[in-house]
Amino acid sequence: VKIAVGKKRVTITNLHLTHLSAQDNLRLQQFYSVVKQVSEECDPLHWLCCGDFNMALGKEMIAAMENGASHRIVDCYLQSNGILPGTTLVHPDKATGMGRIDYILNLYRHGEKHLHFENGKVVLNSPGIENIYPSDHFAVMVDFRFRL
């Protein structure tokens, strides 16, 4: 999605990487493919890439993603002072070691400024009618603004 915010443009890419266990390398390849295709399709100066990554994105994984994607990457939830652990799975016990697998990332090229993020939170994390959750994942939400 390309959104105009005044004279600024924001590209938002929603993805869902494979759920196959022990396939982080495949997920990285899928991510690199998305980055390549979006970079070729538009000039994503302000780019948010979000969705279900089906893996935890610690510092080492973010560094690997940056190297393969030739972009700097900011975890918007952490940048916006989101509270850890920030679990996004209703039943994290079913995915050992993975409680936070849904992300909003800001991708930007070296030398560019990233967006400014605030109010990071996990939402849709309360059961509704008949104690049923809206999904098997909770949503991640952040506010952003352009830096001048």
Side-chain angles (χ1 to χ4, degrees), residues 4-78:
V5 181
K7 293 182 180 181
K8 306 277 188 177
R9 301 285 185 264
V10 178
T11 299
I12 301 173
T13 304
N14 186 22
L15 53 79
H16 188 165
L17 303 180
T18 186
H19 70 281
L20 297 173
S21 62
Q23 292 296 318
D24 286 354
N25 285 335
L26 176 57
R27 283 183 272 280
L28 280 174
Q29 293 307 312
Q30 290 175 323
F31 176 75
Y32 298 149
S33 177
V34 168
V35 170
K36 182 178 186 302
Q37 290 177 47
V38 171
S39 293
E40 289 174 356
E41 196 62 33
C42 61
D43 181 21
L45 178 60
H46 300 292
W47 183 8
L48 301 176
C49 186
C50 54
D52 182 354
F53 285 74
N54 270 311
M55 63 180 168
L57 300 182
K59 289 182 182 180
E60 296 81 20
M61 186 59 74
I62 294 274
M65 292 166 73
E66 285 181 334
N67 288 337
S70 299
H71 283 72
R72 302 283 300 155
I73 299 175
V74 170
D75 180 336
C76 303
Y77 180 76
L78 293 181

Side-chain angles (χ1 to χ4, degrees), residues 77 83 85-88 100 119-125 138-141:
Y77 180 76
I83 298 170
T87 300
T88 59
R100 184 170 176 244
N119 305 318
K121 55 187 131 190
V122 175
V123 296
L124 301 176
N125 56 352
F138 304 140
V140 179
M141 186 174 94

